[in-house]
Amino acid sequence: MSTPRGRTTPEAADDHPEPPPPPPPSTRPPAPARAPRFAKPLTTASIIGWTTLSAVLPGAAHLRAGRRRTGFILLGAFGVLLAAVAGFAYLVSSDLGFAAKDSTLVGLMVAAGVGALGWFALLITSYVALGPDRLPQTGQIVSGVVVGVLCVGIMAPFALTAGTIMTVRSTANAVFPSEPEDPAATPIRQEDPWHGQRRVNFLLIGGDAAGNRTGVRTDSMTVASVDVRTGNSVMFGLPRNLQFVRFPKGDPLAARFPQGFTGDSGQGLLNEVWQYAEDHLGKGRGPRELKAAIGHTLGLRIDYYVIVDMYGFAALVDAIGGLRIRVEQDIKWGGHFGTAGTIKAGYRKLDGEHVLWYGRSRVNSDDFSRMSRQRCVMGALLEQATPSVVLANFGKIATATRHLFRTDVPRDLLEHLVPLALKVKDARTTSLQFVPPTIWPGAADWLKIRRLTTQALRESARTTTGRPPLAAGVTAT
């Protein structure tokens, strides 16, 4: 049976239930709308403070000014920079020779310049982001002046760093030659700078080119033989008046002096070899012939030499403010008879001139006592030239150093020489002086000299590292 139109059956009503009644209206009053929140207006002091904080925490001022994206970018860049600096510091601490490379020094100078400009721009943009134009006129002037001073102050360390590195680089390039003095010298190989040698031998010379002399007298000659694996070293001291030294076969002076060097004077002192070679074989031959003579005498191959000019040494002593030395007995100084004055016995702080005379004076002294005083001076210099003293007088020391040293150690070897020097510092050093009664300079036993040299090197090689270094007869007393 059909259902009339407009009416539903109970079954149809169950299929389409009526919607529930709406909930009763809430009796709670609506919450009032919150007023917008604003940061406190910046004062002159706060703008200066936030700008200053940005110098040590880049991005802080931008975050305070509401420029979050820029602020976080600056903070991230600063974090990356800190990580890079930490990585470089670790690299240098593990390989100090890396810091001595010319490319490293150039890179540090560039980095210092970029850092100065970058921090200057950072402070300016931080200051502008804080809106100093909303300050009263007095506040704008005060904050602008303070921020300007801050910019100059933040750039000063970068400029000082760049200037110091530039001085180090120019000094190193002036002292260490870029081209070898000996055309036959073997080029430096980075993977093996010592050419497979177990030991490397340096001739250390004290040269006296006084104004009343012609040429150079090598008054102090010491060979430092260094084990490149352990740093153990032996110092061989040769007296200036060692006579009639021989030269290796094939050397031009070997044919000229088959019975031993006599020179122009006939005395044939060892300290005459350098200047004789310069006068008779040509400029630049002095160090090569002296290396050949001393190497043949000891039975060693002398790899490199370093000559220290006595008057340059006096300038170096003045640069660090003098040396404290215990003078064991009165030393007359000045001329051949010591007429200029007396260095009194006792603890003295001597300037460069008096230190030079203390080591050189021949009045009531023989060559061997002078050698002892010269070792005393070198010991005092090593002891008292502390890092703080060097940093405080760096400019003066660099100037003096340029006129102090001459060497054939190539510039490319410096990065390998620095870690070797640190090995030597922590290793064992012994010394052997060829002086009476061991060796008589006027009638030297050449076979005995070679035998003693070989014995000293063998004993040094047997010594293990980790023991405290010996002074090798070099002390400050």
Side-chain angles (χ1 to χ4, degrees):
M1 185 173 67
S2 63
T3 304
R5 182 176 300 179
R7 297 184 64 183
T8 60
T9 64
E11 291 82 5
D14 291 338
D15 293 339
H16 301 279
E18 296 183 1
S26 175
T27 58
R28 299 176 62 182
R34 292 185 179 182
R37 299 177 62 183
F38 297 96
K40 293 181 180 180
L42 292 171
T43 63
T44 301
S46 60
I47 285 181
I48 293 174
W50 282 102
T51 305
T52 304
L53 180 61
S54 294
V56 295
L57 190 63
H62 289 80
L63 291 175
R64 175 61 181 83
R67 301 184 180 182
R68 293 189 174 186
R69 181 177 180 180
T70 304
F72 285 124
I73 290 175
L74 290 174
L75 279 174
F78 184 57
V80 172
L81 178 61
L82 288 180
V85 171
F88 178 79
Y90 175 78
L91 178 62
V92 170
S93 63
S94 59
D95 181 13
L96 285 178
F98 177 75
K101 296 179 66 172
D102 188 69
S103 58
T104 303
L105 296 177
V106 172
L108 288 174
M109 284 191 297
V110 173
V114 172
L117 296 176
W119 249 258
F120 176 82
L122 171 67
L123 290 179
I124 295 298
T125 56
S126 298
Y127 176 64
V128 172
L130 292 169
D133 55 333
R134 293 194 293 266
L135 295 175
Q137 185 176 9
T138 303
Q140 294 180 27
I141 295 174
V142 171
S143 62
V145 171
V146 173
V147 171
V149 173
L150 183 62
C151 288
V152 174
I154 203 66
M155 292 178 68
F158 291 98
L160 179 61
T161 301
T164 302
I165 295 174
M166 184 181 297
T167 301
V168 170
R169 179 174 180 262
S170 60
T171 301
N173 291 342
V175 172
F176 298 93
S178 57
E179 298 293 335
E181 293 186 5
D182 186 355
T186 305
I188 301 299
R189 299 196 305 268
Q190 295 297 317
E191 65 278 5
D192 183 18
W194 312 116
H195 309 296
Q197 298 175 200
R198 168 72 184 266
R199 308 192 72 91
V200 59
N201 302 307
F202 300 90
L203 174 58
L204 312 177
I205 307 168
D208 188 355
N212 59 349
R213 287 182 174 180
T214 301
V216 176
R217 300 284 184 92
T218 55
D219 282 347
S220 174
M221 288 158 284
T222 301
V223 173
S225 182
V226 182
D227 190 316
V228 298
R229 293 185 292 181
T230 65
N232 288 348
S233 305
V234 184
M235 310 288 284
F236 299 103
L238 297 102
R240 58 179 290 278
N241 60 344
L242 185 65
Q243 292 180 284
F244 314 127
V245 293
R246 269 68 169 174
F247 296 87
K249 186 178 180 180
D251 189 277
L253 293 185
R256 189 172 300 187
F257 301 106
Q259 302 303 318
F261 177 73
T262 56
D264 290 326
S265 65
Q267 293 181 329
L269 302 181
L270 181 60
N271 76 331
E272 297 176 0
V273 171
W274 178 301
Q275 194 57 44
Y276 181 90
E278 292 281 314
D279 293 339
H280 296 273
L281 299 181
K283 186 173 178 59
R285 293 300 300 267
R288 291 167 59 183
E289 293 303 321
L290 185 61
K291 286 166 60 178
I294 292 178
H296 186 69
T297 299
L298 299 178
L300 300 175
R301 179 182 184 275
I302 306 300
D303 298 288
Y304 304 104
Y305 80 91
V306 178
I307 184 169
V308 179
D309 179 74
M310 294 296 184
Y311 288 88
F313 182 80
L316 178 63
V317 171
D318 286 333
I320 66 171
L323 288 180
R324 297 183 304 276
I325 295 177
R326 194 186 77 176
V327 182
E328 295 184 351
Q329 62 182 17
D330 290 356
I331 301 293
K332 293 185 177 296
W333 66 278
H336 294 286
F337 305 102
T339 56
T342 302
I343 302 174
K344 294 292 185 180
Y347 284 97
R348 307 291 176 199
K349 186 169 185 177
L350 306 180
D351 60 14
E353 182 181 12
H354 287 88
V355 166
L356 189 59
W357 276 108
Y358 173 75
R360 296 178 66 242
S361 178
R362 290 189 173 90
V363 181
N364 300 325
S365 300
D366 56 22
D367 284 336
F368 313 117
S369 61
R370 292 173 68 235
M371 290 171 65
S372 176
R373 294 200 305 271
Q374 289 166 6
R375 292 196 300 272
C376 162
V377 168
M378 294 306 297
L381 179 63
L382 292 173
E383 178 183 338
Q384 297 170 36
T386 60
S388 59
V389 171
V390 172
L391 289 175
N393 303 277
F394 186 78
K396 296 178 182 178
I397 292 173
T399 301
T401 300
R402 296 184 188 186
H403 305 286
L404 174 62
F405 293 105
R406 176 181 167 186
T407 182
D408 63 348
V409 175
R411 179 65 178 85
D412 292 342
L413 189 64
L414 186 58
E415 62 184 277
H416 306 285
L417 198 58
V418 170
L420 180 62
L422 294 178
K423 279 186 182 179
V424 172
K425 182 178 181 295
D426 296 328
R428 186 173 186 265
T429 301
T430 54
S431 67
L432 175 60
Q433 305 292 324
F434 295 111
V435 297
T438 304
I439 297 294
W440 296 97
D445 186 337
W446 308 112
L447 293 179
K448 183 179 181 181
I449 290 177
R450 288 195 171 193
R451 185 173 67 253
L452 292 174
T453 300
T454 302
Q455 181 181 349
L457 294 177
R458 188 180 299 116
E459 292 176 354
S460 177
R462 285 200 300 263
T463 303
T464 58
T465 57
R467 298 180 54 183
L470 300 183
V474 180
T475 65
T477 61

